[in-house]
Amino acid sequence: TFIEGITKIDKYDFVFAKELGYSIKLLSVASKKLSRIEQRVHPCFVKLKSDIAKVSNEINAVVVNDSVIGKNIFEGPGAGAGPTGASVMSDLMDIIRGTYNYPLGASTKKKKKLKIQKIDDLSFPYYLRITAKDKAGVMAKISKALSKRKISIESIIQKPSKRSNFAEIILITHAVKESSLLSSIKQIKRLPEVSSSVKFIRIEDSLWP
């Protein structure tokens, strides 16, 4: 299972996300494809018009999407003193009464063992935020590092950086395998015009329109 927190995200990422038509949400995603499963938790860009982008504050949402019933969304309070206390009491009462059920309908000992897909082998579109010197030719070098691994750019914006003589280069890429993106980022970081700050956030567009 891949787990990544929100500590690397700052307020500017939210500003840039909104300008590009996205919101940022911390998602837990699980899916099964043939004999392999994905299990991952990490921040994602989701489209502002999507259902999941509208979930906020103490509300949690679970999206179930399959080939039989399609997409179903279940929403409800999931944080705060009241909802958390109610959930704990409900679990305790089930244990006392002996009425609790297995989360997946059966004991985990009876489940088939499936291979977990590594995050490096998965493909996503990406949000890239690169802090670089505000001078001619920098974007060409960045584009070359991306194109070397066949990573194409869908959109790009450039904003002044809080650092003097630097700019924030914001890119949205087309879907690419994560291992290829990480290789490109290593090359971009080695450019003398680029600071050590190269940030990326995955864009989750497989579950919502």
Side-chain angles (χ1 to χ4, degrees):
T1 302
F2 176 81
I3 300 175
E4 180 183 294
I6 60 174
T7 54
K8 296 180 182 179
I9 298 175
D10 60 40
K11 64 180 182 180
Y12 298 105
D13 294 314
F14 285 94
V15 172
F16 297 145
K18 187 174 182 180
E19 185 171 341
L20 291 163
Y22 292 92
S23 178
I24 302 176
K25 297 293 181 181
L26 181 66
L27 301 182
S28 173
V29 179
S31 65
K32 179 177 179 292
K33 297 178 182 178
L34 299 177
S35 62
R36 293 181 178 271
I37 60 172
E38 294 180 25
Q39 288 183 318
R40 48 191 173 88
V41 179
H42 53 80
C44 293
F45 268 40
V46 296
K47 293 179 180 177
L48 276 174
K49 294 181 180 179
S50 66
D51 296 321
I52 204 71
K54 300 178 178 67
V55 178
S56 59
N57 300 322
E58 76 280 5
I59 302 299
N60 288 349
V62 177
V63 180
V64 179
N65 196 358
D66 67 22
S67 59
V68 179
I69 61 174
K71 183 179 70 173
N72 283 270
I73 302 175
F74 305 91
E75 294 185 32
T84 302
S87 296
V88 172
M89 285 303 300
S90 176
D91 290 342
L92 291 174
M93 293 303 294
D94 283 339
I95 292 171
I96 292 170
R97 293 170 179 168
T99 56
Y100 58 91
N101 297 313
Y102 292 109
L104 301 176
S107 171
T108 54
K109 296 180 181 179
K110 296 181 180 180
K111 297 296 178 182
K112 293 191 298 182
K113 290 185 177 180
L114 299 174
K115 293 182 179 179
I116 296 178
Q117 193 82 17
K118 293 182 179 179
I119 192 75
D120 286 356
D121 295 328
L122 299 178
S123 295
F124 306 91
Y126 290 89
Y127 157 90
L128 272 177
R129 178 179 161 192
I130 303 167
T131 305
K133 290 182 179 179
D134 191 5
K135 57 185 292 187
V138 175
M139 191 60 231
K141 291 182 179 181
I142 293 172
S143 297
K144 184 178 180 180
L146 293 172
S147 62
K148 185 177 181 180
R149 290 164 181 82
K150 299 181 179 180
I151 301 174
S152 58
I153 300 171
E154 179 181 300
S155 60
I156 176 173
I157 59 175
Q158 183 169 320
K159 297 289 185 179
S161 174
K162 57 184 178 182
R163 293 181 59 182
S164 179
N165 300 320
F166 276 76
E168 299 283 356
I169 299 172
I170 316 300
L171 305 173
I172 298 293
T173 75
H174 290 285
V176 62
K177 187 179 287 189
E178 181 143 325
S179 58
S180 297
L181 181 83
L182 294 177
S183 295
S184 291
I185 288 176
K186 286 182 180 179
Q187 184 176 344
I188 291 170
K189 281 185 174 182
R190 288 196 293 266
L191 295 174
E193 297 89 351
V194 173
S195 76
S196 59
S197 176
V198 178
K199 182 181 297 185
F200 72 90
I201 300 175
R202 301 165 191 90
I203 298 176
E204 184 60 65
D205 60 359
S206 63
L207 297 179
W208 304 279

